[in-house]
Amino acid sequence: MSFFPGRPWQSSMWRLAGLLLGGAMFGRVLLGSVWAGVALVALCMVAWHYFRLWRVLRLLRERRRLIAPSGRGVWGELESLLYRRQRESLVRKRKLAAILRAYRQVAAAVPDGAVVLERSGLTILWFNDSAARLLGLRYPHDLGARFTNLLRSPRVLEWINGPDRLEPLLDLAVPGNDSVRLSLRLIAYTDDQWLLVVRDISTLMRLEQVRRDFVANVSHELRTPLTVIHGYLDLLEPDDNPEWVPIVEEMRNQTDRMAQIVEDLLMLSRLEAQSRPSEETVVMSSLLRALEREAQALSRGRHQIQIVDNAACDLAGSLKELHSAFSNLVSNAVRYTPDSGKITIGWQRRDDGGAMLSVADTGVGIPAQHIPRITERFYRVSSSRSRDSGGTGLGLSIVKHVLGRHHAELLIESEVGTGSRFTCAFGPECIRERR
Ligand code: ADP
């Protein structure tokens, strides 16, 4: 490896040597001293190098684009290297800008609104055209504004500051336009930013409303003819034709079942139609006594029924809805537990300050693969067993709906042949201490 890497250094050195030699000769001939000539040339060289250094530094400091270098030697080499780096970074910058532009164009073209929010202050950093259209945001006026100052809705405020903000907020009415319904969804975008996705779900909500109205209307319309048929069947006394007795009996059972299905469907429609349950104090001691009486009436002495009440608190919510939910669980426990089985209805506190109502039985149990689906409407593990025991397939749907409306959760544990435990877990906000 040579000491001076590359040609520029070699040419610079040769040039330096030539100049010093020239300086020495010049000094000897004109100044009478070799060293005076060498010193003069060395001084000029230092001044020239400083000048070149100052020029490069100025270009870099002022971030000016370098002109394509034409010089030779080390300064030429330095300038050409800097020029190359500058060009490379310029090309990289242009590429990145093109990618960014393409992303923004995609974001602007999607029909869903997208808003980038700063997490701490909820200020708007960016939004696309759809967000501007759906939320009425104005560009660039609303950039930097606080999102909750622009979308002034108590629901949005409660949701975005609450613990469930990562769950979508559905069916939000747009201020000033009731026909448009939106869903908002927050996505953790970076450590300090949220991406808010806004979707127009008006059509979906309209279809959902049509479905709800249809079910409610059909159920309502079926109620009267069923009552009439039931009434006439009650009047029938087939004493003259004893072979009709089992037929009439079966017809009565089936109309009872249909009436129960209609009642359950109407109950579900009512739960869906009402926005919030009433907020009365549900006195749990009397509700537990009522549940015990119902269990005993259904069981007719075939099961051992026990009440464990050690929560020493009451619930806030709708007595009617909660009673209906708990009754469904108790009725299931009785229906799916063979004779002489045990049913325990418990009301206990939870570690987080909430409380839970549990209905445990020693019945047939539920195979694990069915558990995630048994709260769906008309989903049954065994249709024949459900029908034989007078089930409609809607009981657990009602339970889930009621609990959802009270911000409570339904937990299901079950083992085939051993029994099941259905737990309604209520948070501390639903609890009323007994006085
Ligand atoms: P159904 O009217 O058929 O009982 P539900 O919605 O109340 O409808 O219950 C759905 C299904 O869950 C039932 O068909 C049954 O298979 C199962 N199930 C519910 N409760 C129990 C239980 N305590 N023990 C065993 N299986 C149960």
Side-chain angles (χ1 to χ4, degrees):
M1 203 174 103
S2 79
F3 180 73
F4 300 121
R7 277 175 58 88
W9 279 101
Q10 282 172 15
S11 71
S12 286
M13 284 302 147
W14 282 120
R15 201 180 314 150
L16 181 64
L19 283 170
L20 288 175
L21 200 68
M25 277 161 45
F26 169 78
R28 174 139 191 211
V29 175
L30 291 179
L31 304 174
S33 159
V34 171
W35 294 112
V38 168
L40 193 67
V41 167
L43 216 65
C44 289
M45 291 287 294
V46 167
W48 182 74
H49 278 295
Y50 266 109
F51 169 70
R52 296 297 302 259
L53 187 62
W54 171 79
R55 226 175 63 164
V56 170
L57 285 177
R58 195 190 57 172
L59 285 175
L60 291 177
R61 200 176 306 119
E62 292 177 3
R63 295 172 186 272
R64 277 204 293 189
R65 275 176 69 182
L66 298 173
I67 311 154
S70 54
R72 284 175 292 141
V74 280
W75 285 110
E77 164 92 347
L78 180 66
E79 280 174 358
S80 86
L81 281 174
L82 286 174
Y83 180 73
R84 220 162 45 219
R85 294 277 176 286
Q86 212 180 33
R87 277 203 62 84
E88 277 167 12
S89 95
L90 203 72
V91 168
R92 225 178 8 245
K93 235 193 242 164
R94 279 191 190 143
K95 250 189 212 161
L96 281 176
I99 293 172
L100 200 66
R101 213 171 308 120
Y103 272 119
R104 292 229 160 147
Q105 275 165 359
V106 169
V110 286
D112 292 343
V115 184
V116 176
L117 297 175
E118 192 203 14
R119 280 199 198 193
S120 53
L122 293 175
T123 44
I124 300 175
L125 301 178
W126 177 83
F127 55 86
N128 67 358
D129 294 350
S130 305
R133 183 173 45 80
L134 293 170
L135 298 173
L137 301 179
R138 285 164 304 153
Y139 183 86
H141 184 267
D142 291 336
L143 288 179
R146 201 180 159 85
F147 179 70
T148 40
N149 286 352
L150 297 177
L151 200 72
R152 286 173 177 277
S153 149
R155 267 189 81 199
V156 173
L157 206 64
E158 197 183 320
W159 168 72
I160 213 160
N161 293 316
D164 297 330
R165 59 180 165 200
L166 290 182
E167 300 289 321
L169 176 71
L170 296 175
D171 199 15
L172 178 75
V174 179
N177 188 354
D178 253 9
S179 63
V180 178
R181 298 283 158 166
L182 301 178
S183 84
L184 303 189
R185 188 176 186 166
L186 271 186
I187 296 166
Y189 182 46
T190 61
D191 283 347
D192 51 3
Q193 287 173 11
W194 296 110
L195 175 67
L196 178 80
V197 179
V198 188
R199 187 167 287 175
D200 184 348
I201 52 165
S202 315
T203 316
L204 205 73
M205 295 314 291
R206 258 194 303 277
L207 287 175
E208 182 65 10
Q209 189 60 44
V210 170
R211 180 195 67 77
R212 266 189 243 144
D213 290 351
F214 176 76
V215 174
N217 291 340
V218 168
S219 311
H220 199 76
E221 291 299 323
L222 283 175
R223 217 181 196 180
T224 316
L226 267 173
T227 314
V228 173
I229 295 171
H230 202 272
Y232 280 126
L233 282 172
D234 275 348
L235 289 177
L236 274 183
E237 294 295 344
D239 292 339
D240 306 336
N241 304 69
E243 69 276 16
W244 283 17
V245 172
I247 297 170
V248 171
E249 193 57 35
E250 181 59 17
M251 286 164 79
R252 281 184 189 144
N253 285 342
Q254 292 300 336
T255 45
D256 277 346
R257 226 173 75 75
M258 278 173 74
Q260 191 54 51
I261 291 177
V262 167
E263 285 311 315
D264 282 357
L265 282 172
L266 282 172
M267 171 82 182
L268 274 169
S269 300
R270 270 195 298 272
L271 290 175
E272 285 176 333
Q274 290 161 10
S275 55
R276 268 171 190 261
S278 57
E279 268 251 347
E280 55 205 293
T281 299
V282 178
V283 181
M284 285 306 286
S285 50
S286 41
L287 183 53
L288 288 168
R289 275 198 302 276
L291 292 174
E292 186 180 17
R293 276 196 303 276
E294 284 167 25
Q296 270 157 354
L298 272 171
S299 162
R300 281 184 257 119
R302 289 174 297 130
H303 305 93
Q304 189 192 334
I305 291 154
Q306 194 190 3
I307 300 283
V308 179
D309 176 10
N310 47 26
C313 61
D314 293 321
L315 268 178
S318 157
L319 171 64
K320 197 167 165 240
E321 290 181 20
L322 290 169
H323 188 174
S324 155
F326 300 156
S327 291
N328 269 307
L329 294 180
V330 170
S331 136
N332 280 353
V334 173
R335 287 189 295 116
Y336 297 109
T337 301
D339 292 1
S340 74
K342 188 175 170 191
I343 291 157
T344 311
I345 306 169
W347 175 233
Q348 281 141 324
R349 285 311 276 257
R350 283 174 4 132
D351 293 342
D352 66 353
M356 57 191 183
L357 182 124
S358 58
V359 180
D361 62 54
T362 57
V364 294
I366 307 160
Q369 72 271 24
H370 292 287
I371 292 180
R373 295 197 60 192
I374 55 168
T375 54
E376 290 173 19
R377 287 175 193 200
F378 296 113
Y379 188 89
R380 292 144 166 147
V381 176
S382 155
S383 307
S384 57
R385 187 183 280 158
S386 161
R387 249 193 308 275
D388 294 348
S389 63
T392 61
L394 293 167
L396 290 181
S397 297
I398 294 177
V399 175
K400 201 176 159 197
H401 253 82
V402 170
L403 293 187
R405 285 162 59 78
H406 288 80
H407 307 291
E409 222 186 327
L410 177 65
L411 310 167
I412 306 168
E413 301 152 90
S414 188
E415 205 173 308
V416 176
T418 308
S420 314
R421 173 193 292 270
F422 288 77
T423 306
C424 309
F426 294 88
E429 67 283 357
C430 293
I431 304 303
R432 294 282 178 275
E433 299 300 335
R434 273 183 206 161
R435 271 174 266 156

